[in-house]
Amino acid sequence: MLRAALTSLIFVLASGPGVAQTAPEISPELQALFAAVEMEENFEILAEIGLEDAVDLEETLFPGRGGAAWRGILSGYYRAAPLQQVFVESFPQDRMSAAEISAATRFFASDLGQRIIAGELEAWRAISDEETETVANDVYFRMLEENAPRIEQLTRFNEVNGFVDLNVSGALNSNYAFYRGMSDAGAYEQALPPAMMLNEVWGQEPEIRRNTVLWLYSFQVMAYEDLTDAEMEAYIAFSETPAAQAYNAALFAGFDAVFETMSYRLGTTAALFMSGDTL
């Protein structure tokens, strides 16, 4: 469940308004849930992968004009602790009751839950490698052609959680934030009207949706390959509970804020390099 919230990182260009200096207090119960799902390691991976994706943007927008300065600025943006702070500040704690937090923690702290988290973390790190992602895609396509039972399980899993639509929506919002950042920082001769930016972003929706489905299923095939069908069914059953649904909604709200913040910031910074206004 946790990992799917992060797949939009693959499709956004990554950065938004400044990071606040103080994070709200979170309850010990919520801290226990975040510990169970290895939240700190998630943000370590997010920062590492996000940095490399953002660095590559130079080739598209301002070839040869970024270099060490571009990477240096991005290294300051893509740090795990500040990114996690944005997440915590935006995580709607009131969407989860104490009973729901407790139920989610029990599941993810269980033997099965810990194996799920470990598999997701391992797969996320692995699939960030282009060759590994290609192999994962091939495995997914083969299982699809063979009508493998796991594909049917993953389809129900994604439908229960709304993962495809939520990730597509997050990617679109992040891309819109990127264009806003570019426009606000003067990347264009005239500021882009919001309607124009929205049209541009919505034009990307079909491709983003195709990429989301491919990445999501390929990732999940890899992440859950060590789970038996019965264990996968247990994960699906948990996803249908009020606790899981509440956690999923709050999780996406938190990560959407992170991606939109980073996308805006990246847009403003890229605009400076495009215009030659950097030192």
Side-chain angles (χ1 to χ4, degrees):
M1 177 187 302
L2 178 60
R3 195 66 356 29
L6 305 179
T7 63
S8 55
L9 177 66
I10 303 302
F11 311 112
V12 302
L13 300 172
S15 261
V19 176
Q21 297 302 309
T22 58
E25 290 190 12
I26 58 176
S27 67
E29 293 77 14
L30 194 55
Q31 290 181 35
L33 174 56
F34 288 167
V37 299
E38 301 285 353
M39 193 64 75
E40 288 189 8
E41 185 168 353
N42 276 282
F43 276 93
E44 292 289 344
I45 299 174
L46 188 154
E48 179 182 330
I49 295 176
L51 174 60
E52 293 308 312
D53 287 347
V55 166
D56 291 343
L57 192 61
E58 175 185 348
E59 297 180 11
T60 302
L61 296 180
F62 42 91
R65 300 208 304 271
W70 173 244
R71 176 175 278 276
I73 292 173
L74 296 182
S75 296
Y77 291 165
Y78 288 90
R79 293 182 294 123
L83 293 179
Q84 187 169 349
Q85 182 174 324
V86 174
F87 170 81
V88 170
E89 290 170 349
S90 304
F91 188 92
Q93 300 184 40
D94 58 352
R95 289 195 188 181
M96 296 188 71
S97 67
E100 288 169 340
I101 293 174
S102 178
T105 303
R106 284 197 304 273
F107 178 82
F108 286 113
S110 69
D111 177 69
L112 175 59
Q114 288 297 286
R115 288 170 51 216
I116 286 170
I117 296 299
E120 291 176 342
L121 290 170
E122 183 178 354
W124 192 25
R125 283 193 180 279
I127 207 170
S128 65
D129 174 74
E130 188 173 331
E131 292 185 4
T132 302
E133 183 175 1
T134 298
V135 172
N137 291 345
D138 291 341
V139 172
Y140 163 62
F141 286 133
R142 185 175 67 251
M143 294 177 69
L144 198 60
E145 291 176 358
E146 296 172 352
N147 198 27
R150 179 52 55 93
I151 297 301
E152 186 274 334
Q153 286 186 308
L154 293 178
T155 298
R156 287 189 286 115
F157 177 65
N158 288 319
E159 288 176 349
V160 165
N161 290 289
F163 281 155
V164 174
D165 286 342
L166 286 169
N167 278 293
V168 170
S169 176
L172 292 173
N173 289 336
S174 295
N175 286 354
Y176 179 71
F178 179 80
Y179 284 122
R180 283 197 303 107
M182 293 265 286
S183 181
D184 289 350
Y188 312 104
E189 291 185 3
Q190 294 183 336
L192 296 181
M196 182 180 293
M197 290 187 283
L198 285 172
N199 286 338
E200 176 65 25
V201 169
W202 271 107
Q204 302 166 4
E205 197 274 349
E207 181 180 2
I208 288 176
R209 184 170 293 274
R210 287 193 298 271
N211 289 339
T212 297
V213 170
L214 176 58
W215 193 96
L216 190 59
Y217 278 82
S218 298
F219 162 79
Q220 290 171 344
V221 165
M222 180 184 299
Y224 309 135
E225 63 180 348
D226 291 336
L227 299 185
T228 66
D229 288 346
E231 288 170 334
M232 193 68 217
E233 288 296 333
Y235 196 9
I236 295 170
F238 168 71
S239 298
E240 295 173 332
T241 65
Q245 293 288 308
Y247 176 55
N248 196 39
L251 192 70
F252 269 86
F255 276 111
D256 282 350
V258 173
F259 293 134
E260 289 178 37
T261 295
M262 294 304 295
S263 292
Y264 183 91
R265 184 176 299 152
L266 184 58
T268 59
T269 306
L272 296 178
F273 278 87
M274 291 170 66
S275 64
D277 287 343
T278 55
L279 296 179

